[in-house]
Amino acid sequence: MNKPTKTIFGSGFPILLAPMAGITDMPFRELCRDFGAHMTYTEMISAKGLSYNSKNSFALLELSPKEIPCGVQLFGSEPSIMADMTRRLCDELCGRIRLIDINMGCPAPKITGNGEGSALMLNIPLAQRIVSAVKNASTVPVTVKHRLGFDDAHRNAVEFAVAMESAGADALTVHGRTRAQMYSGKADYDAIAEVVNAVDIPVIGNGDVFCGEDALRLKAATGCDGIMVARGAQGNPLIFKEINCALRGEPYTVPDWEQRRAVAIRHAKRHIEVKGERGFIELRKHMAWYTKGIVGSAQVRVAINTAPTAEALLDILEKI
């Protein structure tokens, strides 16, 4: 059957930038859209934080005109709060958001310790109530991002996916690892394929996409309806151009350091323009990722991570 992928994500086979806490801020999302990401998401946002009118939570909802409509990713374990905040977002951001994504895959202990993120894979009835509540409150599609299970003893991705579909989820994103694996080992593409074959809604594949060939491998191995890129975009927003070329069968030349430096400087200047010196510390990790693989990269990263100002950081990049 033809799954409604384009209706939900705006592309027949979408290439998506994953929501990553502390990483996928608005300047970075803009850059990824410029290089070919079909859709971006906000960083993971606490529904409870929004309900308390947290300034930090609302700051994560700053969207760029380049990415509208954008996905908003919420996390939480209380169906009523998740529903209330969904109504609020759909009302206040009407026309600016494409979908609400529910995070049921985050492996961070501070999230799972509260019964949120991937811990919800251990409580399917509660996860279903959350999805149903959000679906009933939303005026846009509702999607769920999850893993293969909490650990090897609880690999329940297919059961969980079927339950999310029955609760009203319009699409799923599956990361091919368990929560216990965090980001170690290899993503299990066979397990993602099992989910694809078990449900009638679109399934986005996620895990170990670091180049165009990886994207082709994920698509071929799983039959997924789209691809989500996470760590592969860190320090390399050009990966979206590479993936789109691979999918079209077009040649792609891996950028040299001069080209990567130009993108890094563009990223840094936009980040500073948006966040000023207050966002300088956040910028360091992005700039360090850009230098991966160059001669003397370890020493360069030390210099970047100890640069006292944004101006000093830019000077380091210029002189490499």
PDB file of all heavy atoms in Angstrom, residues 35 235-238 241 252-266 290:
ATOM      1  N   PHE A  35      21.170  22.643   3.118  1.00  0.00           N
ATOM      2  CA  PHE A  35      21.912  21.596   2.418  1.00  0.00           C
ATOM      3  C   PHE A  35      21.060  20.389   2.047  1.00  0.00           C
ATOM      4  O   PHE A  35      21.595  19.384   1.572  1.00  0.00           O
ATOM      5  CB  PHE A  35      23.128  21.168   3.239  1.00  0.00           C
ATOM      6  CG  PHE A  35      24.245  22.173   3.211  1.00  0.00           C
ATOM      7  CD1 PHE A  35      24.643  22.840   4.360  1.00  0.00           C
ATOM      8  CD2 PHE A  35      24.886  22.478   2.017  1.00  0.00           C
ATOM      9  CE1 PHE A  35      25.666  23.779   4.334  1.00  0.00           C
ATOM     10  CE2 PHE A  35      25.920  23.417   1.975  1.00  0.00           C
ATOM     11  CZ  PHE A  35      26.303  24.072   3.134  1.00  0.00           C
ATOM     12  N   GLY A 235      28.770  18.381  12.723  1.00  0.00           N
ATOM     13  CA  GLY A 235      29.958  18.851  12.037  1.00  0.00           C
ATOM     14  C   GLY A 235      29.930  18.583  10.545  1.00  0.00           C
ATOM     15  O   GLY A 235      30.918  18.806   9.849  1.00  0.00           O
ATOM     16  N   ASN A 236      28.775  18.128  10.035  1.00  0.00           N
ATOM     17  CA  ASN A 236      28.679  17.796   8.615  1.00  0.00           C
ATOM     18  C   ASN A 236      27.250  17.986   8.100  1.00  0.00           C
ATOM     19  O   ASN A 236      26.613  17.022   7.654  1.00  0.00           O
ATOM     20  CB  ASN A 236      29.140  16.358   8.362  1.00  0.00           C
ATOM     21  CG  ASN A 236      29.155  16.008   6.883  1.00  0.00           C
ATOM     22  OD1 ASN A 236      29.306  16.876   6.024  1.00  0.00           O
ATOM     23  ND2 ASN A 236      28.993  14.729   6.571  1.00  0.00           N
ATOM     24  N   PRO A 237      26.721  19.198   8.143  1.00  0.00           N
ATOM     25  CA  PRO A 237      25.382  19.412   7.580  1.00  0.00           C
ATOM     26  C   PRO A 237      25.313  19.118   6.088  1.00  0.00           C
ATOM     27  O   PRO A 237      24.229  18.900   5.539  1.00  0.00           O
ATOM     28  CB  PRO A 237      25.105  20.886   7.879  1.00  0.00           C
ATOM     29  CG  PRO A 237      26.450  21.502   8.089  1.00  0.00           C
ATOM     30  CD  PRO A 237      27.289  20.430   8.701  1.00  0.00           C
ATOM     31  N   LEU A 238      26.469  19.065   5.433  1.00  0.00           N
ATOM     32  CA  LEU A 238      26.533  18.718   4.018  1.00  0.00           C
ATOM     33  C   LEU A 238      26.099  17.281   3.747  1.00  0.00           C
ATOM     34  O   LEU A 238      25.884  16.901   2.596  1.00  0.00           O
ATOM     35  CB  LEU A 238      27.956  18.919   3.493  1.00  0.00           C
ATOM     36  CG  LEU A 238      28.379  20.376   3.249  1.00  0.00           C
ATOM     37  CD1 LEU A 238      29.880  20.492   3.323  1.00  0.00           C
ATOM     38  CD2 LEU A 238      27.867  20.866   1.906  1.00  0.00           C
ATOM     39  N   LYS A 241      23.071  16.922   1.481  1.00  0.00           N
ATOM     40  CA  LYS A 241      23.336  17.028   0.052  1.00  0.00           C
ATOM     41  C   LYS A 241      23.857  15.697  -0.476  1.00  0.00           C
ATOM     42  O   LYS A 241      23.445  15.224  -1.550  1.00  0.00           O
ATOM     43  CB  LYS A 241      24.351  18.142  -0.218  1.00  0.00           C
ATOM     44  CG  LYS A 241      24.680  18.335  -1.690  1.00  0.00           C
ATOM     45  CD  LYS A 241      25.665  19.485  -1.877  1.00  0.00           C
ATOM     46  CE  LYS A 241      26.010  19.677  -3.354  1.00  0.00           C
ATOM     47  NZ  LYS A 241      26.986  20.798  -3.551  1.00  0.00           N
ATOM     48  N   TYR A 252      28.830  12.633  -6.142  1.00  0.00           N
ATOM     49  CA  TYR A 252      29.032  13.579  -5.038  1.00  0.00           C
ATOM     50  C   TYR A 252      30.505  13.561  -4.661  1.00  0.00           C
ATOM     51  O   TYR A 252      31.094  12.492  -4.471  1.00  0.00           O
ATOM     52  CB  TYR A 252      28.173  13.191  -3.832  1.00  0.00           C
ATOM     53  CG  TYR A 252      28.398  14.085  -2.618  1.00  0.00           C
ATOM     54  CD1 TYR A 252      27.801  15.328  -2.546  1.00  0.00           C
ATOM     55  CD2 TYR A 252      29.223  13.669  -1.567  1.00  0.00           C
ATOM     56  CE1 TYR A 252      28.007  16.157  -1.441  1.00  0.00           C
ATOM     57  CE2 TYR A 252      29.430  14.486  -0.463  1.00  0.00           C
ATOM     58  CZ  TYR A 252      28.821  15.731  -0.411  1.00  0.00           C
ATOM     59  OH  TYR A 252      29.027  16.550   0.667  1.00  0.00           O
ATOM     60  N   THR A 253      31.092  14.732  -4.565  1.00  0.00           N
ATOM     61  CA  THR A 253      32.485  14.853  -4.158  1.00  0.00           C
ATOM     62  C   THR A 253      32.549  15.262  -2.694  1.00  0.00           C
ATOM     63  O   THR A 253      31.984  16.290  -2.305  1.00  0.00           O
ATOM     64  CB  THR A 253      33.223  15.908  -5.009  1.00  0.00           C
ATOM     65  OG1 THR A 253      33.129  15.534  -6.398  1.00  0.00           O
ATOM     66  CG2 THR A 253      34.686  15.995  -4.599  1.00  0.00           C
ATOM     67  N   VAL A 254      33.190  14.444  -1.897  1.00  0.00           N
ATOM     68  CA  VAL A 254      33.306  14.749  -0.468  1.00  0.00           C
ATOM     69  C   VAL A 254      34.059  16.066  -0.303  1.00  0.00           C
ATOM     70  O   VAL A 254      35.135  16.251  -0.898  1.00  0.00           O
ATOM     71  CB  VAL A 254      34.044  13.616   0.267  1.00  0.00           C
ATOM     72  CG1 VAL A 254      34.260  13.977   1.741  1.00  0.00           C
ATOM     73  CG2 VAL A 254      33.250  12.321   0.148  1.00  0.00           C
ATOM     74  N   PRO A 255      33.529  17.017   0.468  1.00  0.00           N
ATOM     75  CA  PRO A 255      34.177  18.330   0.594  1.00  0.00           C
ATOM     76  C   PRO A 255      35.538  18.246   1.276  1.00  0.00           C
ATOM     77  O   PRO A 255      35.740  17.443   2.186  1.00  0.00           O
ATOM     78  CB  PRO A 255      33.181  19.129   1.444  1.00  0.00           C
ATOM     79  CG  PRO A 255      32.392  18.101   2.179  1.00  0.00           C
ATOM     80  CD  PRO A 255      32.285  16.935   1.245  1.00  0.00           C
ATOM     81  N   ASP A 256      36.466  19.073   0.802  1.00  0.00           N
ATOM     82  CA  ASP A 256      37.779  19.125   1.441  1.00  0.00           C
ATOM     83  C   ASP A 256      37.702  20.060   2.655  1.00  0.00           C
ATOM     84  O   ASP A 256      36.648  20.634   2.961  1.00  0.00           O
ATOM     85  CB  ASP A 256      38.848  19.573   0.452  1.00  0.00           C
ATOM     86  CG  ASP A 256      38.573  20.965  -0.141  1.00  0.00           C
ATOM     87  OD1 ASP A 256      37.812  21.763   0.464  1.00  0.00           O
ATOM     88  OD2 ASP A 256      39.135  21.264  -1.216  1.00  0.00           O
ATOM     89  N   TRP A 257      38.844  20.228   3.326  1.00  0.00           N
ATOM     90  CA  TRP A 257      38.839  21.024   4.545  1.00  0.00           C
ATOM     91  C   TRP A 257      38.445  22.474   4.280  1.00  0.00           C
ATOM     92  O   TRP A 257      37.719  23.084   5.069  1.00  0.00           O
ATOM     93  CB  TRP A 257      40.193  20.966   5.245  1.00  0.00           C
ATOM     94  CG  TRP A 257      40.313  22.015   6.321  1.00  0.00           C
ATOM     95  CD1 TRP A 257      41.200  23.032   6.379  1.00  0.00           C
ATOM     96  CD2 TRP A 257      39.460  22.175   7.466  1.00  0.00           C
ATOM     97  NE1 TRP A 257      40.973  23.820   7.485  1.00  0.00           N
ATOM     98  CE2 TRP A 257      39.906  23.311   8.177  1.00  0.00           C
ATOM     99  CE3 TRP A 257      38.368  21.469   7.957  1.00  0.00           C
ATOM    100  CZ2 TRP A 257      39.297  23.753   9.349  1.00  0.00           C
ATOM    101  CZ3 TRP A 257      37.742  21.910   9.132  1.00  0.00           C
ATOM    102  CH2 TRP A 257      38.221  23.041   9.817  1.00  0.00           C
ATOM    103  N   GLU A 258      38.894  23.040   3.170  1.00  0.00           N
ATOM    104  CA  GLU A 258      38.559  24.440   2.885  1.00  0.00           C
ATOM    105  C   GLU A 258      37.048  24.628   2.777  1.00  0.00           C
ATOM    106  O   GLU A 258      36.489  25.611   3.278  1.00  0.00           O
ATOM    107  CB  GLU A 258      39.240  24.895   1.588  1.00  0.00           C
ATOM    108  CG  GLU A 258      40.754  24.975   1.670  1.00  0.00           C
ATOM    109  CD  GLU A 258      41.234  25.963   2.716  1.00  0.00           C
ATOM    110  OE1 GLU A 258      40.547  26.983   2.937  1.00  0.00           O
ATOM    111  OE2 GLU A 258      42.289  25.715   3.342  1.00  0.00           O
ATOM    112  N   GLN A 259      36.373  23.683   2.152  1.00  0.00           N
ATOM    113  CA  GLN A 259      34.920  23.766   2.012  1.00  0.00           C
ATOM    114  C   GLN A 259      34.238  23.560   3.356  1.00  0.00           C
ATOM    115  O   GLN A 259      33.278  24.269   3.687  1.00  0.00           O
ATOM    116  CB  GLN A 259      34.439  22.719   0.999  1.00  0.00           C
ATOM    117  CG  GLN A 259      34.894  22.987  -0.428  1.00  0.00           C
ATOM    118  CD  GLN A 259      34.655  21.798  -1.342  1.00  0.00           C
ATOM    119  OE1 GLN A 259      35.055  20.670  -1.055  1.00  0.00           O
ATOM    120  NE2 GLN A 259      33.995  22.053  -2.462  1.00  0.00           N
ATOM    121  N   ARG A 260      34.727  22.609   4.132  1.00  0.00           N
ATOM    122  CA  ARG A 260      34.145  22.368   5.463  1.00  0.00           C
ATOM    123  C   ARG A 260      34.375  23.566   6.372  1.00  0.00           C
ATOM    124  O   ARG A 260      33.494  23.940   7.157  1.00  0.00           O
ATOM    125  CB  ARG A 260      34.761  21.105   6.071  1.00  0.00           C
ATOM    126  CG  ARG A 260      34.237  19.829   5.444  1.00  0.00           C
ATOM    127  CD  ARG A 260      35.126  18.644   5.713  1.00  0.00           C
ATOM    128  NE  ARG A 260      35.494  18.481   7.106  1.00  0.00           N
ATOM    129  CZ  ARG A 260      36.542  17.775   7.520  1.00  0.00           C
ATOM    130  NH1 ARG A 260      37.328  17.172   6.622  1.00  0.00           N
ATOM    131  NH2 ARG A 260      36.813  17.655   8.800  1.00  0.00           N
ATOM    132  N   ARG A 261      35.565  24.174   6.272  1.00  0.00           N
ATOM    133  CA  ARG A 261      35.845  25.350   7.101  1.00  0.00           C
ATOM    134  C   ARG A 261      34.888  26.486   6.751  1.00  0.00           C
ATOM    135  O   ARG A 261      34.401  27.187   7.641  1.00  0.00           O
ATOM    136  CB  ARG A 261      37.288  25.813   6.909  1.00  0.00           C
ATOM    137  CG  ARG A 261      37.539  27.161   7.580  1.00  0.00           C
ATOM    138  CD  ARG A 261      38.991  27.498   7.747  1.00  0.00           C
ATOM    139  NE  ARG A 261      39.752  27.411   6.521  1.00  0.00           N
ATOM    140  CZ  ARG A 261      41.090  27.482   6.500  1.00  0.00           C
ATOM    141  NH1 ARG A 261      41.761  27.602   7.630  1.00  0.00           N
ATOM    142  NH2 ARG A 261      41.741  27.428   5.354  1.00  0.00           N
ATOM    143  N   ALA A 262      34.610  26.670   5.453  1.00  0.00           N
ATOM    144  CA  ALA A 262      33.696  27.735   5.043  1.00  0.00           C
ATOM    145  C   ALA A 262      32.311  27.517   5.657  1.00  0.00           C
ATOM    146  O   ALA A 262      31.661  28.464   6.113  1.00  0.00           O
ATOM    147  CB  ALA A 262      33.595  27.789   3.521  1.00  0.00           C
ATOM    148  N   VAL A 263      31.860  26.250   5.694  1.00  0.00           N
ATOM    149  CA  VAL A 263      30.561  25.942   6.301  1.00  0.00           C
ATOM    150  C   VAL A 263      30.617  26.171   7.809  1.00  0.00           C
ATOM    151  O   VAL A 263      29.687  26.721   8.404  1.00  0.00           O
ATOM    152  CB  VAL A 263      30.149  24.492   5.990  1.00  0.00           C
ATOM    153  CG1 VAL A 263      28.857  24.122   6.723  1.00  0.00           C
ATOM    154  CG2 VAL A 263      29.952  24.297   4.486  1.00  0.00           C
ATOM    155  N   ALA A 264      31.730  25.767   8.431  1.00  0.00           N
ATOM    156  CA  ALA A 264      31.881  25.950   9.876  1.00  0.00           C
ATOM    157  C   ALA A 264      31.836  27.431  10.253  1.00  0.00           C
ATOM    158  O   ALA A 264      31.171  27.821  11.221  1.00  0.00           O
ATOM    159  CB  ALA A 264      33.195  25.326  10.351  1.00  0.00           C
ATOM    160  N   ILE A 265      32.535  28.258   9.487  1.00  0.00           N
ATOM    161  CA  ILE A 265      32.553  29.695   9.777  1.00  0.00           C
ATOM    162  C   ILE A 265      31.170  30.298   9.568  1.00  0.00           C
ATOM    163  O   ILE A 265      30.707  31.122  10.361  1.00  0.00           O
ATOM    164  CB  ILE A 265      33.614  30.396   8.916  1.00  0.00           C
ATOM    165  CG1 ILE A 265      35.010  29.967   9.380  1.00  0.00           C
ATOM    166  CG2 ILE A 265      33.471  31.912   8.986  1.00  0.00           C
ATOM    167  CD1 ILE A 265      36.136  30.451   8.481  1.00  0.00           C
ATOM    168  N   ARG A 266      30.505  29.870   8.514  1.00  0.00           N
ATOM    169  CA  ARG A 266      29.133  30.332   8.275  1.00  0.00           C
ATOM    170  C   ARG A 266      28.226  29.944   9.442  1.00  0.00           C
ATOM    171  O   ARG A 266      27.420  30.757   9.916  1.00  0.00           O
ATOM    172  CB  ARG A 266      28.621  29.712   6.973  1.00  0.00           C
ATOM    173  CG  ARG A 266      27.155  29.989   6.671  1.00  0.00           C
ATOM    174  CD  ARG A 266      26.761  29.265   5.387  1.00  0.00           C
ATOM    175  NE  ARG A 266      25.323  29.213   5.223  1.00  0.00           N
ATOM    176  CZ  ARG A 266      24.701  28.507   4.293  1.00  0.00           C
ATOM    177  NH1 ARG A 266      25.415  27.800   3.427  1.00  0.00           N
ATOM    178  NH2 ARG A 266      23.392  28.504   4.217  1.00  0.00           N
ATOM    179  N   TYR A 290      33.505  19.816  13.341  1.00  0.00           N
ATOM    180  CA  TYR A 290      33.911  20.124  11.963  1.00  0.00           C
ATOM    181  C   TYR A 290      35.363  19.737  11.706  1.00  0.00           C
ATOM    182  O   TYR A 290      35.734  19.440  10.570  1.00  0.00           O
ATOM    183  CB  TYR A 290      33.742  21.616  11.679  1.00  0.00           C
ATOM    184  CG  TYR A 290      32.336  22.052  11.344  1.00  0.00           C
ATOM    185  CD1 TYR A 290      31.544  22.694  12.294  1.00  0.00           C
ATOM    186  CD2 TYR A 290      31.798  21.848  10.070  1.00  0.00           C
ATOM    187  CE1 TYR A 290      30.256  23.103  11.989  1.00  0.00           C
ATOM    188  CE2 TYR A 290      30.512  22.258   9.760  1.00  0.00           C
ATOM    189  CZ  TYR A 290      29.737  22.885  10.728  1.00  0.00           C
ATOM    190  OH  TYR A 290      28.465  23.285  10.425  1.00  0.00           O
TER     191      TYR A 290
END
